[in-house]
Amino acid sequence: MTAQPLIAESFLETSRARVDAALDKRIEANGRASARLQEAMRYSVLGGGKRIRPALCLAAARAVGQDSERALVPACTLELIHAYSLIHDDLPAMDNDELRRGRPTAHIAFDEATAILAGDALQALAFGWLAEAPELSDATRLTMVRELAAASGHRGMVGGQAIDLASVGKKLSIGELENMHRHKTGALIEASVRIGALTADSLSNEHLTALTGYARALGLAFQVQDDLLDIEGDTSVIGKPQGSDLAKGKPTFPALLGNNGAREFLSQLLTTALDHLAGFGPEADPLRAMADYVVARSH
């Protein structure tokens, strides 16, 4: 194993522990709300996961010389949005999946209505936390809220999911497939890096542009590797049914480019991501390591 994956695993483990502790503490029981709803929220957020998006947020803060403690609450909000999206993606009206992160999906573990409401509540909670994130100016919080809203809504993740659902059984061009995944998967990954960078007291346009380019390439690489894992992965490792996208007739990069072509594209995206970090020093090593991890992960 090379040094970069080791750095990534160490950084991910540390980041996951910090984020999980913060999520566990902040998603507290509230006697005024439904106990079942709160249980479903905690089940969906705290039931595993690699925490790649929060880790990217923390790594981006480090890359611009900012203490990652300031980025911790923003990092947690990204995981809330991600968890909400997974709950809704798994619903019978969407992807109709019964397994997520090696456990029954929320609508199976609870019921469909509770799952929908849990996703709704997590989305609202994310924006509430971000609006009150400590040690940040009001202007910075507002900018972050705008970033997260754009990445989460019809111009980002939700819009990409709509394209995905409309594309089942169709053959897309490479440009159409990239557009879908730059919205569905890439938008939130891009926001994770940009929000982490925005924690800096002073951030140059040059650095923000470079980090955005890194995240844009990485977001697409993440999806290409996901598509390859859907074909080649083991259900017990990837935490969801192997071959589920193929069985549903979803357009994927391997289906369009072939497995070898998809791997070559993945390698190109990794190179592009790392090239964007050329102007950074060792403070960006966690971001470099995360890129290597994303393209080499087995789940």
Side-chain angles (χ1 to χ4, degrees):
M1 182 179 290
T2 63
Q4 288 288 64
L6 288 173
I7 294 172
E9 288 177 11
S10 175
F11 185 78
L12 263 176
E13 183 178 350
T14 301
S15 299
R16 185 187 300 117
R18 292 179 63 201
V19 168
D20 282 353
L23 288 168
D24 188 27
K25 180 180 179 180
R26 292 180 69 89
I27 308 178
E28 297 176 343
N30 184 327
R32 293 174 296 175
S34 161
R36 183 173 175 81
L37 171 62
Q38 292 176 85
E39 183 185 356
M41 292 166 65
R42 291 180 62 85
Y43 177 91
S44 301
V45 175
L46 299 172
K50 298 176 288 295
R51 311 305 191 210
I52 287 176
R53 291 154 191 81
L56 285 170
C57 181
L58 297 175
R62 180 182 294 190
V64 296
Q66 180 56 54
D67 179 359
S68 62
E69 187 62 30
R70 187 184 287 191
L72 183 57
V73 170
C76 288
T77 68
L78 291 156
E79 191 61 31
L80 293 183
I81 292 292
H82 181 52
Y84 128 72
S85 75
L86 297 182
I87 294 173
H88 283 197
D89 283 358
D90 291 336
L91 289 168
M94 303 282 274
D95 289 347
N96 195 25
D97 282 325
E98 297 184 355
L99 192 66
R100 171 70 67 178
R101 292 172 172 171
R103 305 191 308 167
T105 49
H107 67 276
I108 298 296
F110 295 87
D111 57 75
E112 190 172 347
T114 300
I116 292 170
L117 293 174
D120 293 344
L122 290 173
Q123 182 191 45
L125 190 62
F127 286 101
W129 285 6
L130 194 54
E132 299 175 350
E135 300 182 36
L136 298 172
S137 69
D138 289 345
T140 297
R141 293 190 193 101
L142 179 58
T143 300
M144 288 180 173
V145 166
R146 286 173 176 161
E147 290 276 345
L148 189 59
S152 304
H154 72 282
R155 291 184 293 164
M157 180 181 67
V158 172
Q161 178 69 2
I163 297 171
D164 188 17
L165 291 171
S167 300
V168 173
K170 298 179 180 178
K171 184 174 182 179
L172 302 184
S173 69
I174 185 66
E176 290 170 330
L177 191 58
E178 285 188 28
N179 178 62
M180 179 175 79
H181 287 305
R182 287 196 188 280
H183 287 77
K184 182 183 176 185
T185 303
L188 194 58
I189 287 177
E190 187 173 326
S192 299
V193 173
R194 286 175 60 88
I195 286 173
L198 288 168
T199 61
D201 292 322
S202 178
L203 178 64
S204 70
N205 287 333
E206 180 183 7
H207 276 170
L208 184 58
T209 298
L211 290 170
T212 302
Y214 159 87
R216 187 172 174 83
L218 186 66
L220 200 53
F222 186 98
Q223 185 60 50
V224 176
Q225 179 64 0
D226 248 18
D227 286 354
L228 286 166
L229 288 174
D230 183 69
I231 295 172
E232 303 170 344
D234 186 306
T235 297
S236 64
V237 176
I238 62 177
K240 59 183 181 179
Q242 184 267 343
S244 60
D245 288 345
L246 185 64
K248 294 168 186 169
K250 288 195 170 188
T252 67
F253 286 100
L256 188 61
L257 303 174
N259 287 12
N260 290 337
R263 290 191 194 95
E264 182 178 345
F265 186 39
L266 184 61
S267 178
Q268 293 170 0
L269 289 168
L270 173 60
T271 298
T272 299
L274 295 177
D275 284 350
H276 279 292
L277 299 180
F280 292 86
E283 67 276 6
D285 280 350
L287 284 177
R288 296 184 179 98
M290 289 293 295
D292 282 338
Y293 171 83
V294 163
V295 303
R297 63 196 168 90
S298 59
H299 62 292

